[in-house]
């Protein structure tokens, strides 16, 4: 097999057109301190879909802009993989609906593209990237590219603790040989176990054990890092320019990054530099009792979080990946891809020269599985990422009052019969256009 570079050539992000401000609108309605959301969870706002938006319209709108920007037509695309945990059909994949939308605006069709839908909670976006990567590396693509779309309406039952972390949007990615943005590594690590932390057994809104889900995320991510190191070799804090994680809310990443840094800094000059200030990391063999070891480790970790060494590393490597997520909430399958885009966008705006540098990407899906791989930033990265107009789109969202938020939430609740008017007017995009004779959802380009 030839060692061709395969990775993400370009991406597009489509946000739901509505916005709920967590500090100004949500916190007062819940009688909560805004700091719980802005400081604790690290979130300022969530994206919501208007009544004419859903996983198909958001995915198709992101995909159309991506194809248009790259001057591509359906004949250039050999695969359409959609990752979602908000699917509304147990048989017909969302990719067929998205292809149907796109065929309304192109003269050609996607009849020779392989289409599918991937499910494993939030990690299925990354699994779809893997599928596309493997297809191209296996030489089965006939020179064509793959379109991967991660699209979700991440809504929780009203009153659920997860409600504050909601979001809705889609990320479309073009996977190709000689990519402009990042090359994916063959090396990857997994942490996977049968867990009951977050699930939707034939129901729209998730059943969530929130506190446990945080612990499962950390445990699986740790396993994935060790597995990754077993193939890629030991990691070092300076190996990676950015570390995008799956971001259900930035506070989750704050916890994961601290544990990750502690692991990769062990036995490096970082540990030596920190030793004077907070001592060396406790080692298990130095303790008779596991409880005493865990207490010492937790004390060390708390002290580590307060050091300039850690804070500087975090500010440069992790903080930029959280910028978009703070204003759009959790997009489930798209979340880690929003984090990658955010980190690269912030780096491009700051004028960082990252060609040839590496990202360490940590994906996670409840149920549960984490995956870690690295990506090498390509020479064309800055132009490719600057083409994203995501910040303008986030800024232009309609700001919901709490009453409007409740109405919109009801309008998207499959159990409720509602007749809610749209709050925005679609223009140059795909919209939901009612039901067909077999119960299928229909779409129109307006
Ligand atoms: N000022 C500053 N910080 C404050 C504060 C204030 N006034 N009030 C609270 N906080 C802090 C808390 O100390 C806490 O921080 P720590 O965890 O660091 O202690 C943080 O804000 C959140 O407060 P609570 O823990 O009290 O919040 P909660 O219990 O209401 O909800 C949650 C938290 C359980 C994570 C909830 O948001 C949830 O269920 N979310 C959905 C599940 C989820 O996202 N899990 C993440 C891992 S699973 C995953 O990643 C898959 C996925 O996408 C869903």
């Amino acid at each position: 097999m030839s060692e061709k570079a395969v990775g993400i050539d370009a991406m597009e992000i489509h946000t739901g057109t509505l916005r709920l401000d967590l500090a100004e609108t949500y916190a007062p309605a819940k009688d909560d301190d805004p700091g719980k959301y802005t400081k604790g969870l690290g979130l300022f706002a969530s994206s919501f879909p208007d009544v004419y938006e859903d996983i198909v319209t958001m995915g198709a709108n992101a995909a159309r802009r991506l194809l248009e920007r790259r001057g591509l037509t359906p004949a250039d695309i050999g695969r359409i993989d959609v990752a979602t945990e908000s699917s509304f059909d147990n048989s017909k994949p969302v990719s067929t609906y998205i292809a149907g939308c796109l065929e309304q605006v192109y003269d050609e069709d996607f009849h020779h593209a392989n289409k599918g839908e991937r499910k494993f909670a939030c990690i299925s976006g990354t699994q779809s990237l893997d599928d596309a990567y493997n297809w191209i590396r296996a030489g089965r693509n006939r020179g064509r590219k793959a379109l991967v779309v991660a699209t979700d309406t991440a809504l929780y039952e009203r009153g659920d603790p997860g409600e504050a972390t909601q979001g809705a949007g889609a990320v479309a990615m073009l996977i190709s040989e000689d990519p402009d943005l990042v090359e994916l590594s063959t090396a990857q690590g997994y942490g996977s176990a049968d867990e009951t932390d977050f699930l939707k057994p034939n129901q729209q809104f998730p059943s969530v054990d929130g506190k446990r889900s945080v612990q499962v995320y950390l445990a699986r991510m740790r396993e994935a890092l060790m597995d990754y190191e077993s193939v890629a070799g030991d990691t070092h804090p300076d190996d990676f320019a950015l570390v995008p994680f799956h971001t259900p809310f930035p506070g989750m990443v704050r916890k994961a990054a601290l544990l990750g840094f502690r692991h990769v800094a062990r036995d490096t000059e970082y540990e030596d530099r920190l030793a004077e200030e907070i001592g060396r990391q406790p080692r298990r063999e130095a303790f008779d009792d596991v409880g005493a070891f865990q207490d010492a480790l937790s004390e060390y970790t708390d002290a580590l979080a307060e050091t300039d060494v850690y804070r500087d590393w975090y500010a440069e490597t992790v903080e930029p990946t959280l910028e978009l997520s703070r204003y759009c909430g959790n997009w489930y399958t798209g979340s880690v891809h929003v984090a990658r885009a955010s980190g690269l966008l912030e780096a491009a705006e700051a004028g960082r020269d990252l060609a040839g540098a590496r990202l360490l990407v940590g994906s996670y899906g409840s149920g549960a599985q984490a995956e870690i791989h690295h990506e090498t930033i390509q020479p064309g990265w800055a132009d490719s990422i600057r083409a994203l107009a995501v910040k303008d789109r986030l800024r232009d969202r309609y700001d919901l009052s709490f009453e409007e938020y409740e109405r919109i939430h009801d309008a998207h609740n499959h159990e409720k019969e509602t007749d809610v008017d749209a709050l925005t007017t679609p223009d140059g995009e795909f919209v939901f256009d009612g039901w067909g004779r077999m119960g299928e959802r229909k779409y129109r380009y307006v």
Side-chain angles (χ1 to χ4, degrees):
M1 196 197 303
S2 66
E3 287 301 301
K4 51 192 157 203
V6 176
I8 306 173
D9 191 44
M11 55 196 296
E12 260 299 341
I13 297 181
H14 188 92
T15 172
T17 54
L18 309 177
R19 165 187 187 279
L20 178 66
D21 192 298
L22 292 172
E24 300 287 328
T25 310
Y26 185 78
K30 296 280 172 180
D31 210 12
D32 274 336
D33 179 345
K36 171 171 176 180
Y37 305 106
T38 57
K39 296 199 182 83
L41 296 176
L43 287 168
F44 294 91
S46 338
S47 284
F48 281 90
D50 207 336
V51 292
Y52 57 84
E53 295 182 294
D54 65 14
I55 49 173
V56 173
T57 66
M58 295 188 299
N61 287 322
R64 186 184 63 81
R65 282 207 305 277
L66 186 57
L67 296 185
E68 237 167 48
R69 211 175 84 210
R70 304 301 284 194
L72 300 172
T73 67
D76 298 309
I77 304 298
R79 271 184 93 93
I80 305 179
D81 291 302
V82 171
T84 186
E85 44 187 309
S86 321
S87 198
F88 46 76
D89 193 316
N90 288 325
S91 175
K92 184 173 150 62
V94 170
S95 48
T96 60
Y97 286 94
I98 290 184
C101 284
L102 294 172
E103 285 169 358
Q104 294 181 29
V105 296
Y106 285 100
D107 293 333
E108 296 167 11
D109 59 47
F110 289 97
H111 287 201
H112 301 297
N114 187 7
K115 307 181 189 87
E117 188 176 308
R118 258 283 191 174
K119 180 179 72 178
F120 194 150
C122 307
I123 202 173
S124 63
T126 298
Q127 291 181 319
S128 299
L129 280 188
D130 272 4
D131 293 341
Y133 175 87
N134 294 338
W135 172 70
I136 296 174
R137 286 294 294 265
R140 298 175 113 180
N141 60 319
R142 300 185 235 155
R144 295 175 300 169
K145 301 167 195 296
L147 179 63
V148 168
V149 180
T151 181
D152 272 299
T153 46
L155 301 187
Y156 289 74
E157 195 114 47
R158 291 225 297 280
D160 187 291
E163 190 181 6
T165 69
Q166 295 175 121
V171 179
M173 292 171 279
L174 208 53
I175 317 308
S176 72
E177 290 173 42
D178 296 325
D180 270 358
L181 196 58
V182 290
E183 177 188 353
L184 303 184
S185 66
T186 304
Q188 56 184 172
Y190 289 101
S192 189
D194 178 9
E195 297 275 9
T196 309
D197 53 337
F198 171 111
L199 56 161
K200 295 182 180 179
N202 285 326
Q203 62 197 43
Q204 183 188 4
F205 300 127
S207 299
V208 193
D209 184 341
K211 300 288 182 206
R212 177 154 169 70
S213 74
V214 169
Q215 295 313 316
V216 174
Y217 177 119
L218 296 174
R220 303 285 79 83
M221 203 60 92
R222 179 172 186 276
E223 272 178 0
L225 180 58
M226 313 244 307
D227 194 41
Y228 168 78
E229 286 184 326
S230 76
V231 285
D234 283 348
T235 45
H236 182 283
D238 294 342
D239 286 348
F240 306 103
L242 292 164
V243 183
F245 282 95
H246 168 58
T247 310
F249 53 92
M252 180 72 242
V253 173
R254 201 170 53 219
K255 294 180 203 292
L258 181 61
L259 300 190
F261 180 86
R262 191 186 72 197
H263 177 89
V264 300
R266 195 171 302 144
D267 295 323
T268 70
E269 68 281 14
Y270 275 87
E271 188 182 13
D272 300 340
R273 270 163 57 198
L274 286 159
E276 263 184 37
E277 197 179 341
I278 56 170
R280 303 192 75 78
Q281 297 194 23
R283 304 302 204 262
R284 175 66 188 95
E285 55 276 15
F287 293 81
D288 294 333
D289 170 33
V290 70
F293 166 64
Q294 279 164 351
D295 288 348
L297 195 57
S298 145
E299 202 178 304
Y300 177 89
T301 310
D302 289 346
L304 175 64
E306 302 304 320
T307 62
D308 287 343
V309 169
Y310 175 70
R311 287 184 168 180
D312 291 349
W313 175 85
Y314 183 86
E316 181 165 300
T317 313
V318 181
E319 187 63 43
T321 70
L322 305 176
E323 180 62 19
L324 295 177
S325 158
R326 291 191 193 287
Y327 298 93
C328 68
N330 190 0
W331 289 8
Y332 288 163
T333 54
S335 159
V336 67
H337 310 292
V338 168
R340 178 199 296 102
S342 177
L344 291 174
L345 205 50
E346 293 298 298
E349 285 173 2
R352 284 174 77 183
D353 176 10
L354 292 188
R358 282 183 172 184
L359 310 177
L360 188 70
V361 182
S363 303
Y364 175 73
S366 297
Q369 181 162 299
E371 188 263 7
I372 289 185
H373 66 268
H374 68 259
E375 298 178 358
T376 307
I377 301 173
Q378 299 298 293
W381 73 279
D383 287 343
S384 183
I385 204 71
R386 276 201 204 99
L388 276 179
V390 59
K391 286 192 176 174
D392 295 340
R393 290 177 187 280
L394 288 172
R395 190 198 53 224
D396 292 346
R397 288 171 298 175
Y398 175 95
D399 202 12
L400 291 165
S401 67
F402 194 75
E403 294 67 33
E404 287 169 332
Y405 156 67
E406 290 190 311
R407 264 192 281 134
I408 288 292
H409 194 284
D410 284 351
H412 289 285
N413 185 336
H414 300 167
E415 309 268 288
K416 294 198 176 175
E417 288 279 328
T418 53
D419 186 14
V420 176
D421 287 335
L423 294 163
T424 57
T425 308
D427 182 20
E429 58 194 287
F430 297 103
V431 296
F432 171 64
D433 194 29
W435 303 91
R437 72 187 168 91
M438 289 175 70
E440 77 277 20
R441 294 172 76 89
K442 293 168 75 80
Y443 297 93
R444 184 163 57 94
Y445 185 77
V446 295

